[in-house]
Each structure stands twice: as structure tokens, then as C-alpha cells.
Amino acid sequence: MTGIPLLALAKRFGSAVRHDGAGPALRQARHYTWRRLTRRAASSLNAPLAKATGGADQYLHGVWQTLAREDAFHIQKAPAVHRKRRQIAMIADLNLPQCRKYRVEQLAAFWRARGVEFEYAHYQDIPRATRILQHATHLMEYRLQTGPAADMIRYEARRLRLPILYDLDDPLFSVSAYETYRNMEALDPRMKAHFVSEAPKYLGMMNGADIISVSTPGMAAHTALYTERPVYIRRNFADAETLDEGAGAMSQASADDGLFRVAFSSGSQGHEIDFDQIAEPLIEFITEDKDRRLMVIGHFDLVHMPPALKDQVEVVKFSEYRSYLAALRRANCAVMPLCDDVFNRCKSAVRVLDAASVGIPAIVADVGDFGQVVQHDTTGFVARTASDWLSSLRYLAENSVRAVEMGRAARSDLEDRWHQSDQAHIISPELVDWVEA
């Protein structure tokens, strides 16, 4: 019989006796021995078992039933009570690269730097998700909605007596936010209907957790309208990748071709509506000098591009992060308009962080977290009117030395205030205490 080494088994049995008592420990030992003798899996990570019980969403059902029959289903003490070490399991929707970077990988780096073990899994990777739960003291969930797989994982976490945090960086649970979200105007109406129909699933998952973390103060205020759970803030920040790749882009010398470039970046569909907010001042600025360019990076339907600008537009397709920052570095400044609606008031300032990482100033709308990150007239400008947008653009174009200084100040501020840290404006102290206490 192969499996876990005898010494490891003895240590596990001793730990079970100390934490759960002799009776439950003996029952678990008998159950393990029976599974090994009958060539069952030594853990719940058994693909044949999943197949036999009807698929991934029933992956754990057979294990649960066996544990229940053997009177070994319930854990007597929560792992966080009797373990000095802390280990976080994060189960997340990892489909979106930007979301994975800022809400999962950043968090992993943050906690590992504090000596906390951190593992994560895509919610549809049931074997890995189940495995990391078995070793965890805390569960964090990101961007999950109720459904067979997520519900099964949540049930197992409750069986293991794990405290649960739910994390979200967009108000996906909010019908009121979707209904007034201007960006939806650029999409097929069926997409909006789909998002609205999914909102209760996110709300159900969120309200089943013990505490909630979100990315901005605006998001926290809106979330509080939908839940009685405690809501805390964990802002997106400039991680090692952003700082290093940004510094790399800044170090690459490029020939000055005499053009003044204004960058507009879009990481998802629908931002043509945001662009419309500054179309008039941008047209006036770009067209008053033949050596000015609008550089569009990422997703943008050029059907919505004003005809007056088409001869002075450069388009850069979205690619991997390093290439994106290299393109952004070619600009003299970045513009970040946002419609003032409920959904956008929840937005973080990741595009500001990107611009600062390559040392260029940003002109931003006073919506979401933009105005909290940009220091007006120092690292960029906060524009509230069309006149503000036009005057800020003209100032940077006419004062090239000052524009470079503001870009450097933005980079310095990024390194000082918006890097990975446990400062209260980056992560609420209550979230640190929730894990480490």
C-alpha cells in the first residue's frame, strides 16, 4: 500500500488527537485505512470519484457521504484556532488577466511577504481548489457567483470551519449600478440584460461570506447598500511587476520625432462612451497642431472615432503587459475620462498607476479613485470641465520640461505611496487583523 509516509501519518494522527480528540482521530484513521485498502483516493482529489458521482459539481459528494457515515464529517476546532501559522486559500475567477494581476497575484505577494502561506485556484479547477482548502486557515473568494461548483467549494469551506472573505472590484451584484452605467450604451443590449440577470448570483455569494473586501471607498459605500456584512478596502497598488516593467520602459531610449502624443488606454469594451466625454476639447487640442497625435491603446471601436481626428490617430493593439507599458511610455501624457455614474464611482485607478510607472503625467476625471491617486498640478491634473481638459493638455504641450517633471513626480509618488505595503490607505487594518490575529 503506497501513499503518505508512515512518519507523516503518525504526525497527522497525533495532531488530530490533540485538536479533535481521540475518538474523532481514530475514526478518521479507520476511514483512511479503509480507503487505502480498497484503493480509494487518500484525499478528495480523485477524478474517478468525481466521474462516478456525476461530474465536477458533485466532486466532493462521495467523500462527504463517507465521512458522514464514519462520523468524521465535522471538524471540532477551526484551523485558525489551533494553528500558529496562517495559510490562505483563494478561490477566484481567473479568466480576466487584469483582475488576476490586481486582485489575486498582488494579494498573494502581499501575504507571502508577511510570512503567510497563500495558494490560489480557478474556481473551475475543482481538484486544486479542494486540495488547497484542506491546508488553509482562511478562505478568500474573488469574483465568484453562486453556482454548483462555487456552492460546493463554499460548503466544504464551512465544513472545515474556515472564515470566509469575499472580494470584488466592480459592483457586479448591483442592478442599480448596471442600469445607470453609461458604458452599456456601446454594447449589445442583450449583454446588459445578461449582466443584470447575473447580479443576484454575485450578491448571494457575497452575503454568504463573513466579511467583504473591495477596491475603493466608492465601491465600499455602494456595497454597504446591499449587505450587512463588514466591508473593508484593499486598494490596487503598484506591484513589483509594474514597478520593474515601468522602469524598464523608461530606460529604453527612443528618438524624439517631434510629436506630442496623448494616450487613451482601454482594457475592455464600452469605453468609447467615456471617450465621448472629452471628444470636443480633445479634437480642438489635437487639430490645432499637425504634430499632435492621439494614441489609442487597446479596445476601441474606430467607428466611434470623430472624423476630425482620424488623420492624427495612432492605434496600438492590446498585447502583453510589457508591450503595453512600452507603448504608453511613448506618450507625453495620458487622458482618463470617465462618465460620472454609480458603476464608475466604484472604479480604481489602475490606469493611473500604469502611467505613473512609466513616468508620464495623467489628466483624469474626478470620478472613482482617480482624484485620490493623482495629485493635482503635481503628478497630473484632475479635470472637471471641458475647459479643464483643454487647458491641461495645452499646458503640458507648451511646457515640455514641466511635463517631464510631473511625470517623474508621478513615478516617485507611486514608489512612495502606492506600492505594496500595509499602509491604511492601501489595506484596511481590519483585514490584516482578520488573518493574523
Side-chain angles (χ1 to χ4, degrees), residues 181 183 264 266-275 300 338 351:
Y181 188 27
N183 294 53
F264 175 84
S266 173
S268 59
Q269 296 178 334
H271 290 293
E272 295 85 357
I273 303 299
D274 294 321
F275 180 86
F300 195 95
L338 275 181
R351 283 184 284 156

Side-chain angles (χ1 to χ4, degrees), residues 272-346:
E272 295 85 357
I273 303 299
D274 294 321
F275 180 86
D276 286 346
Q277 303 300 299
I278 63 167
E280 290 187 10
L282 195 57
I283 290 170
E284 184 171 350
F285 172 76
I286 295 291
T287 58
E288 66 187 11
D289 190 325
K290 64 181 178 58
D291 290 330
R292 293 174 182 173
R293 297 290 184 272
L294 171 64
M295 184 166 63
V296 177
I297 306 174
H299 300 281
F300 195 95
D301 186 349
L302 293 177
V303 170
H304 296 275
M305 182 63 63
L309 290 176
K310 287 191 175 180
D311 291 338
Q312 292 176 265
V313 171
E314 298 176 354
V315 178
V316 179
K317 296 296 183 183
F318 228 38
S319 57
E320 48 91 22
Y321 193 61
R322 177 180 297 179
S323 298
Y324 157 61
L325 291 184
L328 192 57
R329 174 61 183 170
R330 293 172 53 222
N332 299 87
C333 68
V335 290
M336 301 171 194
L338 275 181
C339 297
D340 188 5
D341 55 47
V342 173
F343 202 98
N344 281 335
R345 289 172 204 153
C346 299

Side-chain angles (χ1 to χ4, degrees), residues 342-360:
V342 173
F343 202 98
N344 281 335
R345 289 172 204 153
C346 299
K347 288 284 187 182
S348 71
V350 295
R351 283 184 284 156
V352 177
L353 304 183
D354 292 338
S357 76
V358 298
I360 65 170

Side-chain angles (χ1 to χ4, degrees), residues 139-146 154 164-168 172-173 201-214 230 232 434:
L139 171 63
M140 295 183 178
E141 300 167 329
Y142 170 64
R143 210 177 175 93
L144 299 188
Q145 57 180 285
T146 55
R154 171 72 67 81
I164 299 175
L165 175 148
Y166 185 84
D167 181 68
L168 205 57
L172 306 180
F173 55 82
K201 299 177 183 179
Y202 289 100
L203 182 63
M205 203 71 186
M206 183 175 77
N207 277 328
D210 301 311
I211 65 171
I212 299 164
S213 63
V214 296
Y232 302 111
W434 183 76

Side-chain angles (χ1 to χ4, degrees), residues 92-106 120 122 142-143 169 236 239 241-242 267-268 299 318-322 324 350 354:
D93 183 343
L94 300 178
N95 282 313
L96 299 176
Q98 178 173 289
C99 294
R100 175 173 179 151
K101 170 182 168 66
Y102 283 102
R103 303 310 292 179
V104 179
E105 293 173 350
Q106 280 195 350
Y120 57 87
H122 185 56
Y142 170 64
R143 210 177 175 93
D169 52 350
N236 297 326
D239 53 30
E241 179 193 30
T242 297
S268 59
H299 300 281
F318 228 38
S319 57
E320 48 91 22
Y321 193 61
R322 177 180 297 179
Y324 157 61
V350 295
D354 292 338

Side-chain angles (χ1 to χ4, degrees), residues 198-257:
E198 297 290 288
K201 299 177 183 179
Y202 289 100
L203 182 63
M205 203 71 186
M206 183 175 77
N207 277 328
D210 301 311
I211 65 171
I212 299 164
S213 63
V214 296
S215 53
T216 67
M219 179 76 173
H222 190 66
T223 302
L225 300 175
Y226 283 81
T227 187
E228 296 298 321
R229 299 288 192 270
V231 182
Y232 302 111
I233 297 168
R234 201 281 288 174
R235 272 188 167 103
N236 297 326
F237 53 79
D239 53 30
E241 179 193 30
T242 297
L243 293 171
D244 292 347
E245 296 289 1
M250 292 176 69
S251 69
Q252 298 297 315
S254 58
D256 183 2
D257 57 8

